[in-house]
Amino acid sequence: SGELYYEDLRGLKKEERKARVEAFTLADKAKGFRLAEDALLRISILQTGDETYHFIWSFHHILMDGWCLSFMTQEVFGSYLALRAGHEPALEPVTPFSRFIEWLERQDREAALQYWRGYLADYEQQITLPQQKAQPKSMHTGEYVAEDLDCEFQPELVAQIERVAKQNQVTINTLI
């Protein structure tokens, strides 16, 4: 389930509206999501004019990744535009997720285990991503601090990574 929030800002002066939208957006982003307590999807609509709105769509990454986000965006806004034009939205039929779970439960776990044991039998190295040689001080104290790590890839490798991700219908993040 999700949350829907609406606020009419038309009574505010232009600069106040702009400040309210920016403050609301920052607060919504900072709010994050608590899996056990919150709805994992929030839609907020801030009306800034008679026919202008600021639309904020926040969701937990457990619901959507970069791969399906483009499909969802196309469906949501495609449906909106169709309804505005007085047409019935045309949506592709979808396979229920429950069908995948049913298929997964029918799989032979022992056969899968044997397959991966054989596949990885001669594999002796641990794969690690490029990293700093010295751990940040924060790692020693047990406190997590997000840091960026820049790696340069040749354009050919980037194209191959993108192609493999697309062929397997996963995001580059998932592939890596």
Side-chain angles (χ1 to χ4, degrees), residues 9 13-23:
L9 304 178
K13 294 179 183 173
K14 183 178 180 180
E15 289 304 313
E16 291 174 330
R17 279 196 308 262
K18 184 178 177 183
R20 174 64 183 140
V21 168
E22 288 176 6

Side-chain angles (χ1 to χ4, degrees), residues 74-87 89:
Q74 288 173 5
E75 282 193 9
V76 167
F77 290 102
S79 297
Y80 172 75
L81 293 172
L83 291 169
R84 280 202 55 165
H87 303 337

Side-chain angles (χ1 to χ4, degrees), residues 11-88:
L12 300 176
K13 294 179 183 173
K14 183 178 180 180
E15 289 304 313
E16 291 174 330
R17 279 196 308 262
K18 184 178 177 183
R20 174 64 183 140
V21 168
E22 288 176 6
F24 184 93
T25 303
L26 287 172
D28 184 75
K29 187 174 184 179
K31 182 178 178 182
F33 293 92
R34 293 167 300 189
L35 286 172
E37 302 168 24
D38 293 340
L40 302 181
L41 176 75
R42 291 190 300 265
I43 293 178
S44 303
I45 300 171
L46 306 179
Q47 187 168 3
T48 55
D50 290 340
E51 294 190 18
T52 57
Y53 301 84
H54 195 85
F55 181 82
I56 302 165
W57 185 6
S58 303
F59 54 87
H60 193 286
H61 71 273
I62 200 170
L63 293 182
M64 287 188 274
D65 61 12
W67 180 262
C68 71
L69 182 57
S70 63
F71 295 115
M72 285 295 296
T73 303
Q74 288 173 5
E75 282 193 9
V76 167
F77 290 102
S79 297
Y80 172 75
L81 293 172
L83 291 169
R84 280 202 55 165
H87 303 337
E88 188 69 27

